[in-house]
Every structure is written in C-alpha cells, then in structure tokens.
Amino acid sequence: MVRCRLCGRAATVRLRYANLSLCKEHFIKFFERRVLRSINRYGMFRRGDRVAVAVSGGKDSVVLLQVLYDLSERIGIEVVGLTIDLGIAGYSNAYLEVAKRHYERLSIPYRVIRLRDYGFTVDELVGIRRNVCSACGVIKRYLLNRAAREEGADVLATGHSMDDFLSVLLQAYIRGDLETLAKLSPKLPKADGLVARVKPLVETPERDVLAYALLRELEYVEEECPYAKGATSVEYKMILNSLEDRHPGIKFQMLRAFMSRIQPALKTEKKGFLRRCEECGEPSSRNVCQFCRLRKLVTGEAGKHLSSNPVSGM
Ligand code: Q46
Ligand code: ZN
Ligand code: ZN
C-alpha cells in the first residue's frame, strides 16, 4: 500500500511531478496552499477587493469558486459570481444550472449574462466563423469584463489551469504571436475600462483540479462543449501531458521558465493602443471592437443601444 508522506495513512493521490503521495485530507490542504501561494506570489488580490469569479459550471471554475470562497475571509476578499449563457443548444443550460446551484449553496451573489440579449448566440456563429472557439473567446472576455466592471469588481478571476496557460503559450509561440505572449500572465493589471484579471489556478495542473473536484465531491458538468472537439487547444494539452508523463515536472519547468525568463523580456512588445469602440463604447484596440464585429456579422446591425439585461441573483 502506498502511504501518505505526511501522516502514513493510505494515499489517495500520487503527484509524480513532486514524487509525493498524499491522503485525501493532505492533498486538499496541499492544493489549497498552492493556490494561496500563487495568489500571493503574483499579488492577485488586495484586502477589501471585490472579486468577480467567472463560473461556467465546468470543473476548473467550480473548484476556483469553492477555493476562493473558502479563502475569502482569510484574505479579506468579497466574492461575486458571473456566468455567461452562450446560447449553445444542449450545453449552456446544464452549465448554467450547475453554476447557479453552487452560488446558492454558498450564498454568493451572482449575475447571469445572456449573449442572446445582445442579439445573437454562439450557435449562430457556425458557418459564419470557421473557428467558433476563438470567436467564443472574444465574446467571453468582452462580456465578463463588462459585467465585472458594472458589478464594481476590482478583479476578475478565471479558472484557467496550468494546462490552459501552457497550451496558449505553445500556440502563440508556434504562430510567433508576440502580442499574446507579452500579455500572457497570471495577472493583468487594470487598464482604462478593463478590470484587472487573474488566474489563481495557473500553477495547478488540470489533473489536480479534477482530483480536488472529485475528493471534495463538487458537482460539475462533464460533457464537453460540442465545439471543443477538434479545438487545437485540446491537442496541445494532450501533447503537454504526454511530455509530462515521460518527464514528470516538465510543465512546471515550462511555466517557471516562461515567467522568469521569457515574459520579462517581452514586456517591451508594443501593446495595442486602447481606445473606445464606436459601437458600444467598450475598450478596443480598433475603431469597432471584435465583439461588435462578430455581432454585426450575425445580426447585420449596429448596436448603439446595447443592454445586458442581467438576470441577477444579487
Ligand atoms: S465554450 Fe466556447 Fe469553449 Fe465551446 S465554443 Fe469553444 S470556447 S469549446 S471553453
Ligand atoms: Zn495524510
Ligand atoms: Zn464594441
């Protein structure tokens, strides 16, 4: 029997990258301490911050919500939830319901943002945009930033894990996309109209997130979004995991090398100059923001009078 290194009881989780076996109780503590360390290392929150947590209903965001809720008193933050209904048939509703159940279980105030209220859905982008996921990414960033700002949040926290971070890193590297690499960071500061953004799970591998969700019996939606199939990010994660299987710890090494050596060297890379979108007034690097261009592609109309019509639990 493999035993927990800390207490000698039967081990539940084996972490090859750290050559460490832990029982349920010690894995949960280890996991939470590591998230707290990431929060402190990157100065993600200040006491008194109102933190908007983006919760899809998938395991990563559900785990993030739970951990930040548990830490909230200790680190002096106030948590509010944001969930987007992207209008993906057979998918969005299940996610939405799970997110709401967590908010209600923890008595966390929340807001649901419906893309439909802006005149279109992600389903309607099929056939119009070849890469639905990249358009969806634009939509999520836009709606989350806008809602977080409207809710008076100081920081927007997302559940991106180490694997998400590294797959973006790999893709951007392959494309030579210096702008994305320069902006790729566990913490992006506040800018004109943009709420500060943080990724508290950046030093946490996705496999550990799954183990934590299972051990704490957190409800999450397992079904993948229908558009996730064939998404290159999934392939990059598989490549990273097969590397990790042969060289335990290599993902941590990649992350550390990027943050300590490569990222600082990219700081001088020219950032897009921030102005305001002529259509919606949100921050944009061009005259019309990417969200409004997507909306116009689907609906054919400009939208001077956009409203988010929030369904609110606050
Ligand atoms: S929701 Fe949107 Fe994901 Fe679905 S369309 Fe792609 S990006 S896969 S996390
Ligand atoms: Zn133990
Ligand atoms: Zn716009």
Side-chain angles (χ1 to χ4, degrees):
M1 182 175 70
V2 183
R3 296 188 177 277
C4 170
R5 192 196 286 175
L6 298 175
C7 70
R9 277 182 292 180
T12 315
V13 182
R14 165 128 185 84
L15 306 168
R16 282 188 66 212
Y17 55 79
N19 195 18
L20 183 65
S21 298
L22 295 172
C23 67
K24 173 181 166 180
E25 186 196 320
H26 283 117
F27 171 73
I28 288 173
K29 280 197 183 133
F30 168 88
F31 184 100
E32 291 166 357
R33 262 205 299 266
R34 181 169 54 193
V35 177
L36 184 58
R37 223 178 28 234
S38 307
I39 290 171
N40 291 333
R41 175 173 296 149
Y42 295 105
M44 293 186 183
F45 308 123
R46 281 177 311 187
R47 280 201 165 268
D49 270 353
R50 186 169 162 86
V51 178
V53 185
V55 181
S56 66
K59 64 178 183 327
D60 301 351
S61 60
V62 162
V63 164
L64 177 66
L65 183 74
Q66 182 69 51
V67 174
L68 289 185
Y69 170 83
D70 292 341
L71 285 173
S72 57
E73 242 181 69
R74 182 160 157 203
I75 61 177
I77 58 168
E78 180 196 352
V79 172
V80 299
L82 297 179
T83 296
I84 302 175
D85 175 356
L86 295 162
I88 301 175
Y91 165 84
S92 291
N93 278 348
Y95 273 74
L96 191 58
E97 288 312 312
V98 167
K100 279 204 228 164
R101 277 201 285 278
H102 284 293
Y103 295 140
E104 273 149 28
R105 175 176 64 87
L106 301 169
S107 302
I108 289 176
Y110 68 96
R111 171 163 163 188
V112 176
I113 308 112
R114 296 187 195 278
L115 182 57
R116 227 173 258 110
D117 292 337
Y118 291 82
F120 68 114
T121 63
V122 166
D123 279 343
E124 288 168 341
L125 284 164
V126 180
I128 296 179
R129 280 287 295 254
R130 202 153 34 108
N131 191 340
V132 175
C133 283
S134 81
C136 180
V138 167
I139 291 165
K140 288 195 275 197
R141 275 195 298 278
Y142 176 95
L143 293 177
L144 287 173
N145 179 66
R146 191 168 165 163
R149 200 189 55 233
E150 286 169 3
E151 295 304 332
D154 301 288
V155 189
L156 170 65
T158 56
H160 293 106
S161 66
M162 175 187 272
D163 301 62
D164 293 318
F165 191 91
L166 293 179
S167 90
V168 173
L169 167 58
L170 212 54
Q171 288 184 69
Y173 178 80
I174 287 167
R175 281 198 224 109
D177 182 350
L178 286 181
E179 207 185 313
T180 298
L181 288 173
K183 278 194 288 192
L184 188 61
S185 173
K187 180 182 178 180
L188 282 174
K190 179 178 174 208
D192 182 29
L194 292 173
V195 176
R197 262 183 291 159
V198 298
K199 302 176 176 73
L201 301 182
V202 69
E203 294 172 313
T204 305
E206 204 169 298
R207 286 171 179 170
D208 293 11
V209 178
L210 176 63
Y212 184 88
L214 294 173
L215 291 174
R216 288 212 53 186
E217 297 178 31
L218 297 173
E219 184 193 15
Y220 65 91
V221 186
E222 282 179 64
E223 288 94 69
E224 280 214 327
C225 167
Y227 305 118
K229 285 182 206 71
T232 46
S233 60
V234 178
E235 267 179 71
Y236 284 114
K237 284 186 189 177
M238 279 161 50
I239 293 168
L240 287 163
N241 277 336
S242 76
L243 261 180
E244 178 73 23
D245 287 340
R246 272 174 289 146
H247 309 281
I250 202 164
K251 290 199 290 195
F252 282 91
Q253 201 186 333
M254 260 181 93
L255 178 68
R256 275 196 301 265
F258 178 72
M259 287 313 296
S260 63
R261 309 296 300 273
I262 301 173
Q263 236 270 348
L266 288 167
K267 279 267 182 292
T268 49
E269 179 60 17
K270 227 170 77 203
K271 306 240 165 66
F273 178 66
L274 223 50
R275 40 188 151 176
R276 294 284 169 168
C277 167
E278 287 170 3
E279 298 282 341
C280 69
E282 289 294 306
S284 168
S285 53
R286 301 198 222 165
N287 289 354
V288 176
C289 76
Q290 281 181 295
F291 180 87
C292 285
R293 277 185 277 145
L294 281 173
R295 185 175 38 73
K296 274 164 72 176
L297 261 180
V298 182
T299 64
E301 0 160 314
K304 298 265 186 210
H305 308 292
L306 289 174
S307 117
S308 50
N309 270 342
V311 176
S312 184
M314 295 206 206

